[in-house]
C-alpha cells in the first residue's frame, strides 16, 4: 500500500498485518498502515491510520477512522461493511477513493 494523497507520507512505516482464520479481531489506536484480514468472524478497527486494507470472508467489517485517510480498501464476501469517517469542517473532505465492496469492481 502507498499513500494516495495527503500531507503525511506513511510509506516509510512498517505495515501492521493481522490475519486470522476464525474469531473476532479488534484493533484500536493504530496510526500506521494496516492490512487486516479475517476468514470467519468480525473485524473491528478504531484507528487513526492513513492507509487501511480490511477484508472478511464471512463476517462484519467495521472501520472507525479518527482522521481523514489517504486510502481505504475494504471487502467481504458475506457480511456487512461499515465505515465511520471523521467529521470534517469547511472545505475538508474524506478522500476514500479506495473504498469498495467485493464484487462491485
Amino acid at each position: 500500500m502507498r499513500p494516495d494523497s495527503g500531507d503525511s507520507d506513511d510509506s516509510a512505516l512498517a505495515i501492521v498485518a493481522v490475519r486470522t482464520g476464525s474469531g473476532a479481531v479488534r484493533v484500536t489506536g493504530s496510526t500506521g498502515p494496516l492490512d487486516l484480514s479475517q476468514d470467519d468472524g468480525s473485524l473491528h478497527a478504531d484507528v487513526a491510520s492513513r492507509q487501511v486494507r480490511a477484508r472478511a470472508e464471512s463476517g462484519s467489517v467495521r472501520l472507525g477512522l479518527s482522521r481523514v485517510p489517504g486510502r481505504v480498501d475494504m471487502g467481504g464476501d458475506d457480511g456487512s461493511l461499515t465505515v465511520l469517517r471523521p467529521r470534517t469542517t469547511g472545505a475538508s473532505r474524506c478522500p476514500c477513493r479506495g473504498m469498495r465492496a467485493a464484487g462491485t469492481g
Side-chain angles (χ1 to χ4, degrees):
M1 286 189 279
R2 69 179 204 289
D4 285 336
S5 65
D7 55 4
S8 174
D9 182 0
D10 291 340
S11 61
L13 298 174
I15 294 174
V16 173
V18 177
R19 291 176 178 37
T20 64
S22 64
V25 172
R26 182 183 244 2
V27 177
T28 59
S30 179
T31 58
L34 294 173
D35 184 357
L36 312 171
S37 65
Q38 172 72 303
D39 287 340
D40 184 18
S42 63
L43 180 70
H44 293 222
D46 292 305
V47 297
S49 301
R50 292 207 21 89
Q51 302 173 64
V52 180
R53 180 182 182 273
R55 176 152 182 88
E57 295 299 321
S58 177
S60 64
V61 177
R62 181 191 171 278
L63 178 60
L65 301 168
S66 61
R67 74 174 177 167
V68 175
R71 181 174 180 85
V72 173
D73 185 3
M74 295 177 69
D77 292 334
D78 184 20
S80 63
L81 303 175
T82 305
V83 176
L84 305 172
R85 65 183 181 90
R87 292 190 181 270
T88 58
T89 59
S92 297
R93 296 182 15 207
C94 181
C96 300
R97 288 181 292 261
M99 212 174 296
R100 62 180 169 72
T104 62

